Amino acid sequence: MTSFRLSDDHEQLRATVAEFAREVVAPVIGGFYERGEFPYEIVAKMGKLGLFGLPFPEEYGGMGGDLFALCLALHELARVDSSVAITLEAAVALGAMPIYRFGDADQRARWMPEFCQGERLAAFGLTEPGGGSDIPGGMRTTARLDGGDWVIDGSKAFITNGGTSITSLVTALAITGRLDGRAEISAILVPADTPGFSVAPEYSKVGWCASDTRELAFAGCRVPAANLLGERGRGYAQFLEILDEGRIAIAALAAGLAEGCVDECVRYVGERAAFGHQLGYYQGIQFKIADMAARAHAARLAWHDAAARLVAGEPVKKQAAMAKLTASNAAMDNARDATQIFGGYGFMNEFPVARFYRDAKVLEIGEGTSEVQRMIIARELGVGRTATSR
Ligand SMILES: Cc1cc2nc3c(=O)[nH]c(=O)nc-3n(C[C@H](O)[C@H](O)[C@H](O)COP(=O)(O)OP(=O)(O)OC[C@H]3O[C@@H](n4cnc5c(N)ncnc54)[C@H](O)[C@@H]3O)c2cc1C
């Protein structure tokens, strides 16, 4: 029987991050968001708090925690702002985690300490302009061995933390050959100052406006053969493992956004009046907020369950996909309802619920779209295994 109560350590972490989000992030993040500016000062403070090292061992300067601890931090940050939350999620769950999981001793020793401190960020380059869901089918980036180096050619799309001034490394997935007629995919570490590697200007985005998202280009980009991460040809399997964890982390972020909508609305309906009463007097409003709170609760339980299973070493593919689907649905529904409750103010960028509305949509897209989550869940249930296409 699993207990959903937080341990004392986890509760202390949750409270610390909640206070940080309230005191440090909330007062200034709206300005960064409007300017489309990466919040270096906030990221540096998150680093000092130890957030970038949460799931990593102390020998690398980490906090010795686990994915559950990271998810708690993401949840509390996203209750206030998703740009800083996704910066942390992408840097840790997608950026540093593959090096910790699959890197050799030299690679870990070289990269993990600076990532754990948050002084430098790593990015994960999987998606390509030609397709994100259909990997490996849509992959075109190649890497070939030449005189003891990998030479990489291709491009990656929508890469979080791809081009900040503190990004020091990108893990790129590339086709390194063919095996039994199939693309052989490997993961290769590309330091950001490698000649032939370049980043495009920031995309203009609907949401996550204070996070960094770039297209990356590799043109005859040459790195030592030793920059192969894990085994040659295991890149796709590694990426599936990383994405299971990433989905739980995104679920935590989405649950945080869903809960942030509740926080904002509970406060607002006690202040705003219409027809002679506070908004909270009206049952139509009460019911909306009750539904929002129930969705946020279900979303929290979904990621708690998936993260706890992962930490216990149990298979989580189905639970991770269900958590991401449940939580991103909750985030979208709550953001829509919160904006409605705020009326015209909900459409004004200076109010957090407007940011929540703009930030919620991408949760149904990144790290596997909702359709991809449904495919995974159906496959795990054995649905369609015997179906034939006509
Ligand atoms: C802000 C942002 C940050 C991101 N950060 C990163 C990052 O750091 N690293 C990285 O590698 N990627 C990143 N991504 C990419 C993201 O993971 C992809 O956008 C996502 O996986 C979807 O891929 P796509 O955009 O190519 O859509 P497509 O794969 O082209 O899908 C288009 C639509 O078709 C649907 N679809 C596709 N196949 C099927 C099918 N068989 N059945 C039913 N429906 C289907 C999809 O669900 C979707 O609705 C980021 C994206 C965004 C927007």
Side-chain angles (χ1 to χ4, degrees):
M1 173 110 174
T2 308
S3 164
F4 289 103
R5 295 241 166 134
L6 295 183
S7 67
D8 289 349
D9 284 353
H10 278 152
E11 176 49 31
Q12 197 183 344
L13 170 68
R14 194 204 62 73
T16 302
V17 180
E19 188 187 347
F20 177 85
R22 226 175 21 245
E23 306 292 326
V24 178
V25 180
V28 296
I29 194 63
F32 285 102
Y33 198 89
E34 277 313 292
R35 296 191 296 276
E37 190 181 324
F38 188 79
Y40 287 101
E41 300 97 284
I42 299 178
V43 169
K45 288 176 182 164
M46 287 159 64
K48 288 213 163 60
L49 205 57
L51 301 187
F52 288 91
L54 269 175
F56 302 120
E58 289 167 14
E59 65 174 299
Y60 299 117
M63 301 286 276
D66 52 28
L67 183 82
F68 197 99
L70 174 69
C71 288
L72 269 180
L74 293 170
H75 185 119
E76 292 303 325
L77 286 173
R79 273 175 86 167
V80 169
D81 177 67
S82 289
S83 292
V84 293
I86 191 60
T87 298
L88 177 67
E89 193 275 342
V92 177
L94 297 182
M97 192 60 85
I99 298 156
Y100 174 61
R101 281 252 183 286
F102 309 115
D104 59 29
D106 288 347
Q107 290 166 339
R108 286 174 168 205
R110 163 67 187 87
W111 297 106
M112 289 307 294
E114 65 183 42
F115 295 152
C116 286
Q117 298 304 311
E119 288 165 357
R120 300 281 166 199
L121 304 179
F124 186 64
L126 163 75
T127 307
E128 302 203 356
S133 307
D134 182 16
I135 296 286
M139 188 174 274
R140 299 287 174 270
T141 298
T142 59
R144 63 186 166 82
L145 272 176
D146 178 58
D149 291 334
W150 288 106
V151 181
I152 310 168
D153 287 285
S155 58
K156 298 286 171 183
F158 315 130
I159 305 306
T160 306
N161 294 334
T164 76
S165 65
I166 54 171
T167 300
S168 58
L169 186 75
V170 174
T171 300
L173 258 67
I175 299 173
T176 48
R178 301 205 69 81
L179 212 62
D180 302 331
R182 289 200 192 148
E184 175 201 81
I185 293 176
S186 306
I188 299 176
L189 304 179
V190 182
D193 57 2
T194 307
F197 171 72
S198 61
V199 298
E202 247 288 358
Y203 290 98
S204 168
K205 305 193 291 280
V206 170
W208 287 358
C209 295
S211 81
D212 182 89
T213 321
R214 311 277 185 146
E215 185 164 330
L216 314 179
F218 306 86
C221 181
R222 196 173 266 275
V223 296
N227 282 25
L228 181 72
L229 183 68
E231 261 177 67
R232 179 171 176 166
R234 292 276 305 154
Y236 183 58
Q238 290 170 2
F239 128 80
L240 291 178
E241 205 178 301
I242 287 297
L243 274 199
D244 281 344
E245 294 186 37
R247 280 168 187 150
I248 302 171
I250 292 286
L253 196 157
L257 188 153
E259 197 167 347
C261 291
V262 179
D263 298 338
E264 290 296 321
C265 286
V266 166
R267 191 182 47 71
Y268 188 71
V269 301
E271 294 167 359
R272 179 81 171 169
F275 297 96
H277 295 285
Q278 290 180 341
L279 285 183
Y281 167 84
Y282 299 105
Q283 212 170 39
I285 298 281
Q286 293 171 12
F287 282 7
K288 248 194 181 68
I289 294 179
D291 282 344
M292 289 165 65
R295 283 185 213 120
H297 183 65
R300 183 191 276 276
L301 293 184
W303 82 248
H304 274 213
D305 174 53
R309 285 173 192 264
L310 185 128
V311 170
E314 296 173 23
V316 291
K317 195 162 281 305
K318 185 172 67 178
Q319 284 77 13
M322 290 197 298
K324 186 184 182 255
L325 185 62
T326 302
S328 55
N329 282 342
M332 274 297 279
D333 289 345
N334 282 13
R336 186 194 57 235
D337 284 355
T339 304
Q340 190 66 18
I341 286 173
F342 269 67
Y345 290 113
F347 202 60
M348 298 298 124
N349 279 327
E350 68 187 271
F351 284 82
V353 292
R355 227 179 329 114
F356 292 160
Y357 189 76
R358 292 169 61 180
D359 290 342
K361 180 61 205 168
V362 70
L363 297 166
E364 296 186 316
I365 297 171
E367 294 192 40
T369 63
S370 294
E371 290 75 20
V372 166
Q373 307 311 319
R374 292 184 178 99
M375 286 183 212
I376 295 169
I377 297 164
R379 197 167 55 224
E380 289 292 305
L381 291 169
V383 178
R385 240 179 232 156
T386 55
T388 52
S389 52
R390 291 161 189 260

